[in-house]
Amino acid sequence: MNASGRKRLNQTPEWTALGEHRERLGRTTLRELFAADPDRGEEYTLRVGDLRIDYSKQLVTAETLTLLRELALATDVAGLRDAMFRGEKINTTEDRAVLHTALRAPRGAVIETDGENVVPGVHAVLDRMAVFSEKVRSGEWTGHTGKRIRNIVNIGIGGSDLGPAMAYEALRAHTARDLTFRFVSNVDGADLHEAVRDLDPAETLFIVASKTFTTIETITNATSARDWLLAGLNAGQDAVARHFVALSTNAGKVEDFGIDTANMFEFWDWVGGRYSYDSAIGLSLMIAIGPERFREMLDGFHLVDEHFRTAPAEANAPLLLGLLGVWYGAFFDAQSHAVLPYSHYLSKFTAYLQQLDMESNGKSVDREGNPVDWQTGPVVWGTPGTNGQHAYYQLIHQGTKVIPADFIGFARPAGDLPPALLAQHDLLMANFFAQTQALAFGKTPEEVRAEGVPEELVAHKTFRGNHPTTTVLADELTPSVLGQLIALYEHKVFVQGAIWNIDSFDQWGVELGKVLAKKIEPVLTGAAGTEGLDSSTASLVAAYRTLRGR
Ligand code: F6P
C-alpha cells in the first residue's frame, strides 16, 4: 500500500489475474487465435477519426482485454485522465497542470487552471502566429535590408525541435516550397554551420524556440546565429528585430537575450516541452503549411482528445494501446517497442516519439517516490519502412527478443508525386502488409520442408511468428491525420504512466548530466583543474586537453 492508500500495482488482484491468465495463455499462437475466430481481423479493429487501428495481430484474447481493462479500472486511469482535462495539477513533482489538450480546444471551450480560463489566451497566440506566418509567407515581412525572408531556421532542442522538425517533414507535401526550412538543435557547432552556410543572412529569419529560454544548447546556438547574422549584414543590434523571434514562456529571458517581446509568441508552464509543438513552438510549421492547415492539424488532435475523454473502454484506442504496452512489458518481458511508419514523410516520427514516450515514462519511482518493481516505459525505436527491412527486421523476425511493433501506413501517398512514382506506392504497401503477416504467422518447419529445403537449413529458414503488431492505416497523411496520430500516442503514454503510477510529466533524469557538463567545461578549457574528478573522467579529460594542445 502507498502513502496515498493506493495498492502497489503488482499487489492488486487484477495484476495477479493477468499473470495467471498469461500462464494459461502459454504458447498460444496467433495462427491458433485466427483459426479459432475467422472474423478476428474485423472484430479486433477500432476506428478513430481517419485511423483504422487493427490490433488483431496482438497476442491477446477477449479475456486478456477484459482483464487489462479491469487493471485500468483498478488503477483509475479514467480518474487521472479527467483530472488532466480539468486542469488539475497532476504533474505533482513540478506542481503543474498538464493541459496540452487546451492547445487544440475550440475557441469557445472553457478550461480552467488556477481559476483562469486558458482557452482565450491559446487562441490569441494562435491568431498572432497566423498573422505573422502570413506576413512571412507573402513576403510582407522583410529583413533588415528590405529583402523578403526566404529562409526560416528554428533553433531549439528536445521538444522545441523534435516536434516542429518532425511535423515539417511529415507535412512537407503541404509546405510552401519557395521557402527553405532548417532545424538546428545540437550544440555541436557543425549543426548551425551546415544549416546557415549557404543562406543569405538578409533573407534569413531565426526562430528561437525554448520553453525556459535557459537551455544552454539553444542559447549558445542563438547567440552564434545572432553573431553570424550581424557579421553577414555588417549591421548593429537593431537588425535583430527583423530577423529573430522567440517562442517561450519566459519573457524576461527573451528580453535579456535582446529579442523584443513584441516578437515573442508565448506559451505556458502547463505545456510540457514534449507536448508543445501544437503551441507557439509550432510557429515554423505554421509558416511552412499556413495557418489553415495548422488549424486542421489542431482539429485532428482535438478529435482524438475527445475520443480519449469520452469513448467507452472497449472502444478507446489510446487506452487499448497503452494497455497492450503494459501487457508486453510486464508479462512478456518486452524491453522495447518499435514504431515503423511506411511513409518517407514520417522519417522523424519515431525520433519524436522517443522523447514523448521515453522522457515521459522512463521513470523508476512512483508518484510517492517509492521504487517501482514493475517495468515502466520501453525503449522506443524504429525508422520508416522499407529501409528497416534490409537492416534490422532480421532480429525482429528471428532474434530472441519480444518486440511489439506499430506499423503505420497510408492508402494514398501524400501530395503531388509524379505518376511514375505514384505507382511505387502499391509496392511500399505490399511490404507493409506482408511484414505484419510474416511477423504474426511465420513459417513452420513443415512449410519450409515442403518447399524442398535441405534438412540442415530448415531451422535457419523457419520463422516462429507470433510477433505482436498493431497496424494503423489511414487514407492519407494530412495535417489532421498527423494531429490524430500524435494525440493517439500522447494519450497512450498517459495511460501507461497512470497504470504504472509514475509522473509522466516531469523529467528530472535530464538534470544531472547538465550540471556535470557545466562543471567539466572549465576543466576542458584549462580554467579549472581535474581534481575532484573520478580517475576515468580525469584521464579522459587530460587526454582531450593534450589532443587540443592545452
Ligand atoms: O532537458 C530536457 C528538456 O527540458 C526537454 O524536456 C525539453 O523539451 C528540452 O529540454 C528543451 O527545453 P526548452 O524548450 O526549455 O529549451
Side-chain angles (χ1 to χ4, degrees):
M1 198 75 85
N2 289 329
S4 61
R6 175 175 162 147
K7 252 200 182 144
R8 286 184 65 75
L9 178 62
N10 53 3
Q11 288 165 14
T12 59
E14 291 77 10
W15 189 267
T16 309
L18 275 161
E20 289 166 2
H21 169 69
R22 169 70 186 98
E23 294 217 337
R24 283 198 302 281
L25 202 62
R27 291 175 183 276
T28 305
T29 64
L30 284 167
R31 282 187 183 228
E32 288 159 358
L33 294 176
F34 273 80
D37 178 3
D39 296 328
R40 185 175 165 95
E42 191 55 42
E43 280 167 9
Y44 285 63
T45 292
L46 288 178
R47 285 177 187 77
V48 182
D50 296 305
L51 310 178
R52 180 190 171 97
I53 303 168
D54 178 329
Y55 60 101
S56 62
K57 297 191 186 86
Q58 295 290 351
L59 289 163
V60 292
T61 62
E63 188 186 356
T64 322
L65 296 170
T66 303
L67 292 173
L68 285 169
R69 284 193 293 267
E70 280 168 8
L71 184 70
L73 212 57
T75 49
D76 197 22
V77 174
L80 193 68
R81 174 198 65 193
D82 295 344
M84 173 177 75
F85 276 93
R86 271 199 307 272
E88 285 177 28
K89 296 190 174 173
I90 64 163
N91 176 359
T92 46
T93 70
E94 294 182 324
D95 193 28
R96 285 179 182 163
V98 175
L99 271 182
H100 43 278
T101 51
L103 298 170
R104 49 267 190 155
R107 226 173 253 281
V110 177
I111 301 171
E112 290 185 350
T113 188
D114 284 332
E116 191 202 336
N117 179 13
V118 299
V119 179
V122 166
H123 283 273
V125 174
L126 282 172
D127 291 344
R128 282 188 58 226
M129 288 166 65
V131 170
F132 181 77
S133 299
E134 288 297 17
K135 281 189 185 164
V136 175
R137 285 165 67 83
S138 66
E140 187 189 334
W141 183 276
T142 52
H144 182 64
T145 67
K147 277 189 168 180
R148 72 169 285 188
I149 295 297
R150 293 189 186 279
N151 315 308
I152 292 93
V153 181
N154 187 83
I155 299 178
I157 198 164
S160 300
D161 164 73
L162 289 163
M166 174 277 295
Y168 170 72
E169 285 303 329
L171 301 177
R172 204 159 181 156
H174 301 273
T175 57
R177 302 287 196 170
D178 57 339
L179 298 174
T180 296
F181 290 84
R182 304 260 164 92
F183 295 85
V184 173
S185 53
N186 200 331
V187 77
D188 182 342
D191 198 0
L192 180 63
H193 173 64
E194 292 298 334
V196 299
R197 61 189 295 280
D198 58 346
L199 303 185
D200 175 356
E203 298 182 340
T204 302
L205 174 75
F206 290 98
I207 298 180
V208 186
S210 176
K211 178 175 170 178
T212 55
F213 231 77
T214 57
T215 305
I216 188 87
E217 290 92 334
T218 300
I219 301 309
T220 304
N221 275 325
T223 306
S224 300
R226 187 177 53 193
D227 294 346
W228 173 85
L229 177 94
L230 298 184
L233 293 179
N234 197 15
Q237 182 67 24
D238 57 327
V240 168
R242 303 299 299 175
H243 293 271
F244 273 79
V245 298
L247 320 174
S248 190
T249 59
N250 192 340
K253 291 282 178 195
V254 169
E255 229 165 331
D256 290 350
F257 182 82
I259 297 178
D260 188 342
T261 45
N263 293 336
M264 168 179 154
F265 298 86
E266 70 164 328
F267 61 112
W268 307 270
D269 75 355
W270 41 260
V271 183
R274 52 193 175 274
Y275 298 85
S276 69
Y277 97 80
D278 45 345
S279 70
I281 290 294
L283 182 66
S284 55
L285 176 69
M286 191 190 270
I287 297 171
I289 63 174
E292 202 177 313
R293 292 208 172 92
F294 195 87
R295 285 182 200 277
E296 282 168 27
M297 183 186 76
L298 297 182
D299 290 345
F301 272 97
H302 182 64
L303 184 152
V304 174
D305 292 344
E306 284 303 282
H307 164 83
F308 179 48
R309 200 172 64 77
T310 61
E314 303 73 43
N316 197 307
L319 180 69
L320 172 79
L321 297 187
L323 287 170
L324 288 171
V326 171
W327 170 235
Y328 293 114
F331 302 105
F332 290 75
D333 199 28
Q335 305 287 325
S336 79
H337 184 94
V339 180
L340 308 165
Y342 276 60
S343 165
H344 183 69
Y345 288 121
L346 288 181
S347 59
K348 294 192 171 160
F349 188 75
T350 309
Y352 171 81
L353 290 188
Q354 282 178 330
Q355 187 199 12
L356 175 66
D357 201 323
M358 294 163 79
E359 204 175 66
S360 295
N361 285 343
K363 314 280 163 71
S364 54
V365 294
D366 68 13
R367 288 175 164 275
E368 286 82 30
N370 308 305
V372 297
D373 39 16
W374 46 88
Q375 277 217 41
T376 59
V379 175
V380 176
W381 60 284
T383 48
T386 58
N387 296 10
Q389 293 175 203
H390 298 273
Y392 52 77
Y393 276 37
Q394 163 68 39
L395 184 146
I396 310 182
H397 282 289
Q398 288 189 317
T400 53
K401 297 175 174 51
V402 178
I403 303 176
D406 296 346
F407 281 69
I408 302 169
F410 303 92
R412 280 185 294 158
D416 50 0
L417 280 188
L421 296 178
L422 259 181
Q424 293 183 200
H425 194 69
D426 286 338
L427 181 56
L428 172 73
M429 292 304 284
N431 278 277
F432 173 78
F433 295 118
Q435 286 297 327
T436 60
Q437 205 183 18
L439 286 166
F441 307 117
K443 197 173 188 183
T444 63
E446 295 70 42
E447 287 167 341
V448 176
R449 280 191 196 100
E451 288 175 352
V453 171
E455 196 53 37
E456 67 272 18
L457 286 183
V458 168
H460 298 277
K461 295 197 165 196
T462 296
F463 290 71
R464 78 172 181 280
N466 247 11
H467 300 288
T469 60
T470 296
T471 301
V472 181
L473 181 66
D475 184 15
E476 192 183 324
L477 182 55
T478 60
S480 170
V481 166
L482 181 68
Q484 293 173 41
L485 283 170
I486 298 297
L488 179 71
Y489 280 99
E490 285 179 349
H491 298 317
K492 170 200 163 174
V493 166
F494 175 91
V495 166
Q496 297 187 332
I499 291 173
W500 291 324
N501 194 25
I502 55 179
D503 187 335
S504 298
F505 299 100
D506 62 16
Q507 55 285 315
W508 299 109
V510 301
E511 295 303 323
L512 180 60
K514 289 186 194 174
V515 172
L516 295 181
K518 247 189 210 155
K519 283 195 187 151
I520 289 178
E521 199 193 351
V523 185
L524 300 186
T525 59
T530 56
E531 29 325 308
L533 293 178
D534 65 88
S535 61
S536 164
T537 313
S539 80
L540 287 166
V541 165
Y544 175 87
R545 279 170 50 163
T546 307
L547 289 167
R548 294 296 305 261
R550 289 176 186 149

